[in-house]
Amino acid sequence: LRDGDVNWPEVMKAFAEDMVRSLGKTIRSTSFLETYRTDPKWFSRMRMLAFSFCVCMILTRMVTSLRNELGTFFENTLDVDRSITPQAFSKARRHIRPEAFHALFEDTREQVVNANAVKRFHGYRLFAIDGTDLQLPASEELRMTYPSAHPSSPKSARARGSVLCDVLD
């Protein structure tokens, strides 16, 4: 198939659905729970505040208060009026190891890199890179680690940042 023959919106939609299904299976697995909880006693009983619920909640894009987000999440996913308190959620999320999210990122990255659903231009993936200089807060420690390359501002700390993007996605 040539790029013009592919219905990319449908391909990407199917790819995204497969990825969400795969990540959901991973998040709900016993091995994921046992690997990424901080202590075996946490998330050991079947409760409203399950490990998978906490992970999914953290992965959602929160734009309102935690109380509103928790209520909305419960209504939309469990179709119940009950909710948990922000304090209970905050306490529970402290018992999820940060490495859990790194592992989910790596799983997602592998799926994207190995997918045939990635748009290509004449068989090649197209990437663009852009960079910027960042002004860091003025502190002695940062000035020692990130010295300014500009002679006009030797007392400021500066760093460089860059991003690589797939321009067709």
Side-chain angles (χ1 to χ4, degrees):
L1 290 174
R2 294 187 329 253
D3 282 343
D5 298 334
V6 178
N7 183 345
W8 282 112
E10 286 299 317
V11 169
M12 295 309 292
K13 180 180 178 189
F15 176 70
E17 288 171 353
D18 288 346
M19 184 179 297
V20 167
R21 205 173 1 267
S22 172
L23 288 175
K25 185 177 177 183
T26 299
I27 291 167
R28 288 187 303 273
S29 73
T30 304
S31 62
F32 191 76
L33 164 70
E34 291 172 355
T35 303
Y36 296 111
R37 63 183 170 182
T38 60
D39 189 307
K41 69 180 179 184
W42 275 93
F43 306 108
S44 58
R45 295 183 286 176
M46 296 303 292
R47 298 269 179 130
M48 293 281 286
L49 196 54
F51 178 81
S52 58
F53 166 81
C54 289
V55 170
C56 290
M57 188 66 207
I58 292 167
L59 290 174
T60 63
R61 182 176 160 252
M62 295 188 206
V63 293
T64 63
S65 72
L66 184 55
R67 181 175 302 283
N68 288 342
E69 293 290 341
L70 288 167
T72 301
F73 193 85
F74 264 85
E75 288 173 21
N76 293 340
T77 58
L78 302 176
D79 196 27
V80 294
D81 292 334
R82 248 180 97 202
S83 184
I84 59 168
T85 66
Q87 295 82 358
F89 174 73
S90 295
K91 183 177 181 181
R93 76 176 166 196
R94 285 194 302 257
H95 296 283
I96 299 172
R97 293 178 46 216
E99 293 83 5
F101 301 98
H102 186 265
L104 292 173
F105 170 78
E106 288 299 323
D107 286 351
T108 305
R109 185 186 61 78
E110 282 299 315
Q111 289 182 45
V112 170
V113 168
N114 296 326
N116 290 326
V118 176
K119 293 181 185 179
R120 298 178 188 272
F121 179 76
H122 297 289
Y124 294 97
R125 292 185 67 188
L126 295 183
F127 295 98
I129 191 165
D130 191 18
T132 187
D133 284 334
L134 304 167
Q135 180 72 39
L136 301 175
S139 76
E140 187 60 35
E141 182 180 353
L142 286 174
R143 278 194 295 274
M144 298 302 286
T145 307
Y146 304 101
S148 176
H150 301 288
S152 62
S153 59
K155 295 204 183 268
S156 67
R158 300 185 64 81
R160 291 209 169 144
S162 61
V163 65
L164 176 72
C165 297
D166 184 334
V167 298
L168 296 177
D169 276 323

